[in-house]
Amino acid sequence: NELWSLLEFLNPGLLGGRKSFEAFTRSLERGYAPLRRLVRPFILRRMKTDPALVPDLPDKTEIPAYCPLTPEQAALYQTQIDTLHAMLDEPDPAARLMLILPVLARLKQICNHPAQFQGTDDYAPERSGKFLRLQELCASIAARQEKAILFTQFRSIIPHLHDLLSGVFGRSGLTLHGGTPIPERQGIVTAFQKESGPPFCILSLKAAGTGLTLTQASHVIHVDRWWNPAVENQATDRAYRIGQHRNVLVHRLICRGTIEDRIDAMLTEKRRMADDLFSGGPEQWLMNMSAEELKDVLCKS
């Protein structure tokens, strides 16, 4: 839809009507080469990974960090899945989407930590497989005296992540979210960019997706998944950008056997499509799925 809207504005009629365009894209079972040939003359895309543009940018390596659920997390997760089953029978795609989106958010909260889902302050690491994996990962980073930036979509969990990592690194870090006053943001960046500055910075994904340079970090950790590769890549680019002289490791925490695991596989395919078509947000493909497809993605363990 974004591609059609953009080209309809720039070159009206090129892709036909919206409905005919949607029917055409659904018919492309063997890939998007026909559509790519059609729009290529009208699109100029440059990427920082092109050595002709930035010959000295170091490597970026993406490493999935898999986490098990604790028994407590697994029980809470299954309860939400049982609730989700009934919602998937709603015949209207738009109404179904409005029903399932809050459940998807709760599933992600459970994957992070039971306390986030329950709204309590008991963030003991042993209650969450993800917190234990994060503790282990950051202990390795701290041992090498390297820096990390972490992203989460949930502002409420940031103080608890900070408490966890302060113990791992042996000193306090920095936090930045939508409530951080704009005059303070540059001070946070300046402090982190000092070689002797804080070893980690935790940022909310929406507040820190653009406009920040944090190239002192050689590790980027996505604590939870936004489920949109473009947004995640923008966040990662706070560290992986011009001025970065270290290789960057990108760690995505993924709970095995959960929605995070299956969405990760879908996003891998979505990135391939985005490289060709610059596709939109996750709501669009959720709406286009049938009830059976949603059950396969969301409810199978």
Side-chain angles (χ1 to χ4, degrees):
N1 282 336
E2 288 185 5
L3 177 64
W4 182 88
S5 298
L6 179 63
L7 289 179
E8 180 67 15
F9 174 76
L10 297 174
N11 199 334
L14 176 68
L15 299 179
R18 183 186 294 272
K19 290 186 178 180
S20 62
F21 175 72
E22 290 175 349
F24 170 66
T25 56
R26 284 196 294 269
S27 70
L28 299 175
E29 298 179 356
R30 296 187 177 182
Y32 291 87
L35 180 56
R36 188 166 59 249
R37 286 195 298 269
L38 180 62
V39 302
R40 180 179 291 166
F42 305 94
I43 296 175
L44 174 64
R45 189 187 193 198
R46 299 192 301 173
M47 301 179 67
K48 67 174 65 177
T49 50
D50 184 350
L53 296 176
V54 189
D56 59 346
L57 199 65
D59 292 334
K60 178 178 71 171
T61 304
E62 299 189 5
I63 307 172
Y66 293 110
C67 323
L69 294 179
T70 63
E72 181 185 9
Q73 284 176 293
L76 292 171
Y77 191 92
Q78 186 58 50
T79 299
Q80 292 299 310
I81 289 296
D82 293 341
T83 301
L84 192 60
H85 271 290
M87 299 177 180
L88 297 181
D89 292 329
E90 165 60 48
D92 178 49
R96 184 172 61 212
L97 180 66
M98 292 301 100
L99 290 172
I100 68 175
L101 283 178
V103 180
L104 297 184
R106 292 196 289 270
L107 290 176
K108 288 197 284 184
Q109 290 174 343
I110 292 169
C111 288
N112 279 350
H113 198 291
Q116 185 183 5
F117 167 72
Q118 296 164 341
T120 69
D121 291 325
D122 182 11
Y123 277 82
E126 59 270 15
R127 298 182 65 198
S128 166
K130 186 174 285 190
F131 267 49
L132 291 174
R133 183 69 181 90
L134 181 60
Q135 204 172 37
E136 176 187 30
L137 173 61
C138 288
S140 176
I141 295 171
R144 295 195 296 270
Q145 296 185 324
E146 295 173 340
K147 291 190 177 189
I149 55 175
L150 298 88
F151 292 97
T152 175
Q153 73 174 96
F154 299 104
R155 175 178 168 180
S156 62
I157 202 174
I158 290 178
H160 306 287
L161 290 170
H162 184 272
D163 290 344
L164 176 74
L165 298 188
S166 294
V168 173
F169 283 92
R171 55 187 294 204
S172 295
L174 299 166
T175 63
L176 190 153
H177 49 72
T180 304
I182 292 178
E184 292 183 15
R185 296 190 179 202
Q186 187 55 50
I188 291 172
V189 172
T190 301
F192 186 81
Q193 287 292 90
K194 294 179 181 178
E195 189 170 347
S196 60
F200 67 91
C201 184
I202 307 170
L203 311 101
S204 66
L205 197 61
K206 284 190 173 181
T210 58
L212 299 177
T213 297
L214 299 168
T215 50
Q216 275 292 321
S218 54
H219 295 266
V220 178
I221 302 173
H222 292 279
V223 177
D224 41 62
R225 307 304 305 275
W226 182 250
W227 300 348
N228 185 324
V231 174
E232 287 191 349
N233 289 341
Q234 282 183 343
T236 297
D237 287 350
R238 299 315 94 217
Y240 187 67
R241 61 190 307 168
I242 296 172
Q244 177 59 268
H245 303 295
R246 306 171 183 83
N247 292 336
V248 175
L249 295 179
V250 183
H251 312 268
R252 290 185 169 88
L253 298 183
I254 303 166
C255 287
R256 280 293 202 187
T258 71
I259 183 71
E260 290 188 332
D261 204 358
R262 287 180 288 280
I263 291 295
D264 182 66
M266 294 183 68
L267 285 185
T268 299
E269 179 59 32
K270 185 174 170 63
R271 285 190 187 93
R272 297 191 191 104
M273 182 174 66
D275 285 340
D276 290 339
L277 299 179
F278 318 100
S279 58
E283 292 84 359
Q284 195 60 47
W285 46 260
L286 283 172
M287 275 193 67
N288 290 333
M289 285 183 178
S290 67
E292 289 303 314
E293 289 172 325
L294 284 168
K295 287 177 183 177
D296 184 63
V297 170
L298 303 177
C299 298
K300 285 191 176 181
S301 58

